[in-house]
Amino acid sequence: MADKYDVILIGAGMSGLAAGIRLAQYDKRVLLLERHYLWGGLNSFYKRRGRIFDVGLHALTNFAPRGRRGVPLTKLLRQLRIRHEDLQLGEQRYSEIAFPSERLRFSNEFALFESEIARAFPTEVDGFRRLTSAIFEYDSFAPADPDVLARKVLSEYLREPLLIEMLMLPMCYYGSAIPGDIAWYQFAILFKSFYDEGFARPEGGIRPLLDILVKRYKSLGGELRMKSGVAEILRTGCGDSQRAAGVRLDSGEELLADQILSSAGFAPTMEMCGAEMARKVRPTDRGQLSFNETVIVTDKPPLTFGNYGAAITFFNDCETFAYSSPDPGVWGIDTRSGVICSPNNYAAKEPLKEGWMRFTALANAEHWEQLAAGPREEYESHKYAASQAFLDSAARFAPDPRPFEIDRDAFTPHTIRRFSGHPRGAVYGAPNKRLDGTTDLPGLFLMGTDQGLLGVVGAMLSGISMANRHSLQPTA
Amino acid sequence: MTRDEVTLAIKDIIETIAPDEELVGLNPDERLRDQIELDSMDFLDIVMELRKRYGVQVPEEDYKELASLTSCADYLGPKLEDVELKVGC
Ligand SMILES: Cc1cc2nc3c(=O)[nH]c(=O)nc-3n(C[C@H](O)[C@H](O)[C@H](O)COP(=O)(O)OP(=O)(O)OC[C@H]3O[C@@H](n4cnc5c(N)ncnc54)[C@H](O)[C@@H]3O)c2cc1C
């Protein structure tokens, strides 16, 4: 019989690593299993032609200076016992929301955003202030009404449709699994994480941060196994007394544990429990929204070649913003809106010598899966054509890096699914979140994307809070 | 541990979990939460550290006994009587 663990964690993404540290810190016998050969999940990195590409890092949201009280970053560092200075965070210069008729800038100083709103929408100043206070007073981490949607709430405070669209755009792109809208509590969490806290970038990208997490986890005695996908969740007992007992790996090996915390997403986790549990998965448990991303490396920084100083530009080319999985159309992506990011525009001790720009577009998952199933050249040429179309579109809002291009990489929903296991490459998982992390199978819990906290900081907090609640609380 | 050592043990735990807080000059009779930033996640860590370092179990209904340094010493004193102080873990 195999050894028995206190807890097995599925997935070495941000949530799994953070949960692992918490559990190992308190002497739990813990095993972290990852299907991929690298850790990080949606926030991993890879090497191409001698350069390290981050998979998903545009901005570390929730920036807070060392010691700022009561904010997620401070809580997270405390819980994981990581020093703020070890993250080597460089703050953004500024970011912006760009529509054809208006641009709003924001930075890590809330006052800038407020003054931008006052400049562009003078009649909305009061409404915006009331909205802001409502957000600060709202307990977004324990929402009483998780089903309320943001558009409805915004329309209670604001009258200018354009302002509502401009506020919706960044929040949807950075954390909504719901087409056309975002849950109000998610909006509130993100609003604070953007405008009251802010954006930063760890010096060197995501890799040094992952190194810190993995080292800390291992130094506390946590076990980490790569290329160890979980094929099945084992159960013991029958009928109502059934509970999770362990896992069977893709290799067939069986491992036993008292508890399992999974970051693989609700639907995939249920499918690991067998046909009977899988039948309980509803349409709202399946995410739709995924992205194409193109990364362009240039021979000089964007500030030099195009006077581009934004860390992030969220753009939309008409007065209303459509957030949905696009019709496949010609390109398999939506060219009307997107996110442009330049890692160069964060403070750094050693500034990046080359220029980097990242371009993110909503993409149709089926379209890319179909192409990926066909001949490789066709997939590649479509990917290139879609990138070009999107870069043409984005060039209306930020300088075009292509004249200075020295390297490029692009990925699609297919790539995201392949490396993170999220069906349809749905970066933000399912519309339906399970905030308490419980499932119908005792001993099996969710963390990460489908529990409800998103992004680098959100996923880590999810891992921490689920480990605390289900495995560490004395009553657990 | 003497009563003073129990206070020292608690302060050392707080220093581990909240290294950014200033612990000099804490009023022993005032609630810890009102003097330094400690949320429910931090209280869980105090409890976990007590268990890890000294083998003391604090059930959830007794968390309120850990509100101030004085109440900590009152509550933990008898439980830690025969246990040696460990600092700097
Ligand atoms: C292009 C892109 C850009 C992004 N930009 C940002 C950003 O700028 N800022 C930000 O904060 N966030 C960003 N995000 C979002 C952020 O990366 C995620 O929200 C966060 O990393 C999710 O972490 P997680 O632990 O919940 O899930 P994941 O990272 O998905 O972790 C799940 C892990 O489980 C593994 N796994 C799945 N199934 C199994 C199995 N059966 N057995 C074993 N292992 C399994 C997967 O391989 C994966 O490693 C971005 C994401 C993408 C894709």
Side-chain angles (χ1 to χ4, degrees):
Chain A
M1 203 180 89
D3 292 335
K4 193 167 171 200
Y5 291 91
D6 292 323
V7 187
I8 284 180
L9 304 169
I10 303 176
M14 290 294 163
S15 61
L17 286 165
I21 291 174
R22 286 295 296 165
L23 296 171
Q25 191 159 283
Y26 288 115
D27 302 328
K28 294 279 180 193
R29 208 169 155 224
V30 48
L31 172 65
L32 178 50
L33 296 169
E34 170 57 52
R35 181 168 272 145
H36 195 30
Y37 54 81
L38 250 184
W39 43 81
L42 290 166
N43 243 299
S44 194
F45 58 91
Y46 55 95
K47 215 168 182 176
R48 285 280 151 84
R49 298 171 289 272
R51 289 189 184 84
I52 290 179
F53 288 79
D54 282 335
V55 174
L57 186 69
H58 290 178
L60 188 102
T61 58
N62 301 90
F63 171 78
R66 186 169 159 239
R68 177 168 173 190
R69 293 176 157 200
V71 290
L73 184 68
T74 310
K75 287 179 199 257
L76 178 156
L77 293 173
R78 251 194 206 186
Q79 287 274 301
L80 301 180
R81 304 207 183 143
I82 292 171
R83 293 182 309 173
H84 191 287
E85 52 270 35
D86 291 343
L87 299 186
Q88 299 204 55
L89 295 178
E91 291 188 63
Q92 66 168 337
R93 296 167 60 93
Y94 64 87
S95 290
E96 58 189 359
I97 307 166
F99 275 54
S101 59
E102 197 53 77
R103 246 173 223 258
L104 297 173
R105 267 195 191 193
F106 60 95
S107 68
N108 294 357
E109 298 299 331
F110 188 74
L112 173 63
F113 193 49
E114 209 172 26
S115 72
E116 283 281 279
I117 305 259
R119 172 188 58 73
F121 299 97
T123 59
E124 293 282 41
V125 174
D126 281 347
F128 183 73
R129 290 228 171 93
R130 282 188 295 118
L131 172 71
T132 308
S133 340
I135 288 173
F136 286 119
E137 281 156 25
Y138 183 62
D139 187 359
S140 44
F141 287 97
D145 47 2
D147 297 329
V148 174
L149 295 173
R151 279 192 181 277
K152 178 177 167 289
V153 182
L154 291 182
S155 68
E156 287 161 16
Y157 291 92
L158 304 169
R159 261 169 312 206
E160 284 270 2
L162 179 61
L163 177 55
I164 294 181
E165 298 302 305
M166 292 186 91
L167 292 175
M168 288 295 291
L169 171 72
M171 306 289 109
C172 286
Y173 263 101
Y174 271 24
S176 181
I178 302 172
D181 216 322
I182 178 168
W184 167 241
Y185 75 93
Q186 298 271 16
F187 184 98
I189 291 175
L190 281 166
F191 186 94
K192 287 181 272 194
S193 83
F194 270 53
Y195 306 121
D196 183 48
E197 293 154 43
F199 291 172
R201 179 177 186 271
E203 182 120 11
I206 200 66
R207 192 182 173 176
L209 173 57
L210 287 170
D211 281 348
I212 292 174
L213 297 175
V214 171
K215 271 202 196 111
R216 172 129 184 89
Y217 173 65
K218 288 188 174 165
S219 75
L220 291 164
E223 285 179 56
L224 173 61
R225 281 173 63 173
M226 313 306 295
K227 292 203 227 171
S228 301
V230 173
E232 194 185 332
I233 288 169
L234 305 172
R235 286 170 288 175
T236 174
C238 50
D240 285 347
S241 65
Q242 265 199 3
R243 57 173 292 117
V247 299
R248 180 177 295 118
L249 301 183
D250 296 333
S251 65
E253 186 183 352
E254 291 187 2
L255 298 156
L256 302 181
D258 288 334
Q259 283 188 326
I260 298 166
L261 265 63
S262 170
S263 66
F266 176 74
T269 302
M270 289 303 107
E271 279 149 14
M272 288 180 228
C273 293
E276 190 195 326
M277 296 277 277
R279 267 197 296 277
K280 295 185 183 168
V281 175
R282 287 168 296 155
T284 49
D285 294 322
R286 300 195 187 273
Q288 306 287 326
L289 292 153
S290 191
F291 304 98
N292 265 35
E293 179 134 329
T294 303
V295 185
I296 306 279
V297 186
T298 53
D299 59 8
K300 40 179 135 10
L303 195 61
T304 313
F305 70 72
N307 198 26
Y308 181 66
I312 318 271
T313 301
F314 298 92
F315 75 86
N316 188 57
D317 76 356
C318 52
E319 300 293 282
T320 53
F321 163 53
Y323 184 71
S324 60
S325 173
D327 293 334
V330 188
W331 310 114
I333 59 166
D334 192 334
T335 55
R336 293 171 296 176
S337 71
V339 184
I340 306 166
C341 162
S342 177
N344 297 86
N345 293 325
Y346 290 93
K349 288 196 198 83
E350 264 183 64
L352 298 163
K353 286 188 196 72
E354 295 172 332
W356 289 77
M357 283 179 87
R358 310 183 63 115
F359 297 84
T360 313
L362 284 160
N364 180 296
E366 261 93 62
H367 173 87
W368 292 100
E369 288 292 0
Q370 270 168 25
L371 281 168
R376 187 83 204 159
E377 313 81 75
E378 208 169 309
Y379 172 73
E380 290 296 336
S381 72
H382 270 81
K383 211 166 77 166
Y384 186 78
S387 286
Q388 290 296 81
F390 193 65
L391 288 162
D392 289 341
S393 172
R396 297 172 296 168
F397 297 91
D400 192 338
R402 285 172 290 183
F404 313 95
E405 175 173 342
I406 52 174
D407 199 357
R408 158 184 316 212
D409 198 49
F411 57 86
T412 72
H414 162 74
T415 330
I416 298 174
R417 182 191 53 75
R418 226 176 102 214
F419 290 106
S420 74
H422 293 292
R424 307 173 60 118
V427 171
Y428 301 127
N432 187 19
K433 302 296 181 198
R434 287 157 205 274
L435 298 177
D436 67 2
T438 57
T439 68
D440 286 348
L441 185 66
L444 173 65
F445 303 95
L446 299 176
M447 61 178 165
T449 310
D450 279 353
Q451 183 265 322
L453 293 174
L454 303 164
V456 177
V457 170
M460 285 199 269
L461 274 178
S462 168
I464 291 170
S465 57
M466 291 301 106
N468 285 352
R469 181 155 173 179
H470 300 299
S471 310
L472 294 179
Q473 273 321 352
T475 47
Chain B
M1 252 184 260
T2 64
R3 199 183 157 86
D4 284 348
E5 284 173 330
V6 173
T7 308
L8 217 66
I10 285 288
K11 278 193 176 169
D12 191 61
I13 287 174
I14 296 176
E15 205 171 316
T16 310
I17 64 174
D20 37 359
E21 295 293 342
E22 178 63 71
L23 302 184
V24 184
L26 282 182
N27 176 352
D29 298 320
E30 202 182 324
R31 270 164 37 123
L32 283 163
R33 298 200 114 125
D34 295 340
Q35 304 179 72
I36 53 177
E37 175 93 0
L38 288 179
D39 64 11
S40 54
M41 295 208 281
D42 299 319
F43 272 91
L44 173 65
D45 277 26
I46 297 180
V47 171
M48 298 297 298
E49 286 294 332
L50 282 167
R51 177 154 93 192
K52 185 169 163 176
R53 295 183 189 187
Y54 303 114
V56 189
Q57 302 273 7
V58 182
E60 209 169 344
E61 61 270 22
D62 289 351
Y63 280 19
K64 56 183 186 309
E65 309 290 343
L66 305 178
S68 71
L69 287 175
T70 304
S71 70
C72 279
D74 291 343
Y75 175 74
L76 295 168
K79 295 181 189 283
L80 292 174
E81 224 166 35
D82 302 325
V83 185
E84 293 250 334
L85 175 69
K86 292 180 206 153
V87 287
C89 306

